[in-house]
Amino acid sequence: MKTICLQLLSALALAAPAAAQDTPRPDQLAFRSLYKELVETDTTLSSGSCTLAAERMAARMKAAGFADSQLTLFATPEHPKEGGLVAVYPGTSKTAKPILLVAHIDVVEAKREDWERDPFVLIEEGGYFYGRGTLDDKAQAAVWVDTLIRFKQAGYKPKRPIKLALTCGEESNGAFNGVEWLAANRRELIDAEFALNEGGGGDSDGKGKVIGQSVQVGEKTFANFRLETRNPGGHSSVPVRDNAIYQLSRALTAIDEYEFPVEMTDVTRRFFAESGAARGDETGAAMVALAKDNNDKAALAIVDKDRFLHGNIRTTCVATLLDGGHAPNALPQRAGANINCRIFPGHSIESIKDELAKVIGDPGVTITQLPPKRPAPPAPPLDPKVIGPMEKLVAQYWPGLKVIPSMANGYTDATFLGAVGIPTYGIPGIWGDPDGNGVHGLNERIEVKSLYVGRDYMVDLVKAYADKP
């Protein structure tokens, strides 16, 4: 009977995308409650607590029947509010390796005075859920928790063990990172054949139509550099040419005007070719042309108009912080800036530092790499055993769409998992709008249908892996 019920649940999930649902299903209402609690738990670094969010999710899982031995809450004395949760759903096979579901529960800062709505109140309006973290990444985190709760309630017995890690620190470079800590200190908790993460997903036309689905298989390396100029200073009534602020500004202008060379990996070339062909517009045609020839200047000029595509084919370095001077009536003795670089695969951080020095061309500008200093992880393989189920389900949910491999411009917690030998994939499913949905910015949102349909897809994807190791 349990098997029949599970088959029925799966069939209902697969049927969900085909029919518009104005009225949420009972299971979607239960999920909404969990999602609301997670979104409304402030997990910013400045004033929130990932530890509290993890405890609340653990309480829900325990109420659903998870034993204490299956739930591990963790935090360190130095970072008591930056804790997380690892949950283990056992499998029946003694030899099948686990899969790991990972999601970060920390969010980017959000000031109430800047937002149209309270960023820490889940608001449904005009077919969207609004709130900080509604998309990045509490949507995925809530789905993973809900998935294991549904499995427990249904008595589902997968062959492969399923692990879940909710962690903090992904949004704060240099802060405590839960995945990094687990990999270094509790590797046995998260050890898995592969992991499913953020970074992939779908694209819509901004009018409700899903036009693409991708799987993330690799990402750039990030590095922060401190640029600094120094000067003896003096009285502001006696200006000199050798001014620390002006010297720094010339260095920043040189970086701003410099474009790193165009490059492609096998993954990005395939992404440009397949995604471009699917677009059917001028940019799409230029993407296809550039995939054939990196030196096609006409195609590059069109592609570079798109911010994401511009960054996807080269290293980028941009000023993000600025400071200088010590008094309004004194010449500056010091000026500094933070340069954030997203480094294309195949380049070391040191080589980019050297390139910046050449671009600036002024030995009086010091360049110092800032912590954390992390090597680039290897990109996961395009393993048919992993990619195949994604493709099959995408074809069922969104007929006519293919799963296109992509590389992330930024970085995710895949950095730390890949470094310890756990291939990590950003999965298809949940989709976003062309404007980025306010992620990391103001009025972050996710389409309600995207969350509900994406959730069904993700449940079926986990079952596909868990049933057939």
Side-chain angles (χ1 to χ4, degrees), residues 42-50 81-82 106-112 120 168 171-172 175:
D42 183 352
T43 53
T44 59
L45 183 62
S46 64
S47 59
S49 174
C50 287
K81 293 186 177 182
E82 297 167 54
D106 63 315
V107 295
V108 171
E109 302 291 335
K111 296 182 179 180
R112 175 65 187 94
F120 297 107
C168 204
E171 297 290 13
S172 304

Side-chain angles (χ1 to χ4, degrees), residues 102 170 179 195 197-198 216 218-219 377-378 380 411-420 422-426:
V102 61
E170 197 273 348
V179 172
N197 187 32
E198 64 172 335
Q216 180 188 316
E219 53 193 37
Y411 94 101
T412 70
D413 283 328
T415 292
F416 309 108
L417 294 171
V420 295
I422 302 176
T424 303
Y425 302 84

Side-chain angles (χ1 to χ4, degrees), residues 231-244 246-247 250 331-332:
N231 192 278
H235 202 285
S236 61
S237 65
V238 189
V240 295
R241 176 67 178 169
D242 193 14
N243 182 300
Y246 294 155
Q247 185 180 20
R250 288 190 287 271
L331 299 176

Side-chain angles (χ1 to χ4, degrees), residues 6-189:
L6 283 171
Q7 290 174 344
L8 179 59
L9 284 172
S10 181
L12 288 172
L14 286 172
Q21 295 182 7
D22 296 328
T23 303
R25 306 188 309 252
D27 64 288
Q28 290 172 334
L29 291 174
F31 165 74
R32 189 186 190 282
S33 171
L34 184 156
Y35 177 61
K36 176 180 172 67
E37 182 175 38
L38 188 56
V39 170
E40 295 187 351
T41 303
D42 183 352
T43 53
T44 59
L45 183 62
S46 64
S47 59
S49 174
C50 287
T51 300
L52 176 59
E55 290 171 347
R56 287 175 172 174
M57 295 300 100
R60 283 181 173 268
M61 297 185 77
K62 189 171 181 179
F66 278 80
D68 289 339
S69 61
Q70 296 172 318
L71 303 171
T72 302
L73 289 162
F74 65 92
T76 67
E78 298 81 12
H79 303 277
K81 293 186 177 182
E82 297 167 54
L85 168 68
V86 176
V88 179
Y89 194 98
T92 59
S93 173
K94 295 182 179 180
T95 57
K97 294 183 178 180
I99 59 171
L100 174 64
L101 315 178
V102 61
H104 68 85
I105 52 176
D106 63 315
V107 295
V108 171
E109 302 291 335
K111 296 182 179 180
R112 175 65 187 94
E113 59 269 26
D114 295 335
W115 283 55
E116 295 178 23
R117 309 162 190 81
D118 190 327
F120 297 107
V121 175
L122 183 68
I123 296 173
E124 184 175 351
E125 182 180 308
Y128 285 85
F129 287 125
Y130 286 86
R132 176 57 90 213
T134 47
L135 180 55
D136 186 18
D137 185 33
K138 289 183 176 179
Q140 189 176 56
V143 170
W144 289 152
V145 174
D146 173 73
T147 296
L148 294 191
I149 287 175
R150 292 172 73 188
F151 286 171
K152 176 65 74 171
Q153 291 172 337
Y156 172 53
K157 295 183 178 180
K159 293 180 180 179
R160 187 198 296 267
I162 305 168
K163 296 183 176 182
L164 164 66
L166 302 181
T167 60
C168 204
E170 197 273 348
E171 297 290 13
S172 304
N173 294 348
F176 172 81
N177 183 283
V179 172
E180 184 179 29
W181 185 87
L182 287 167
N185 298 279
R186 297 295 306 273
R187 169 61 188 273
E188 77 283 357
L189 283 178

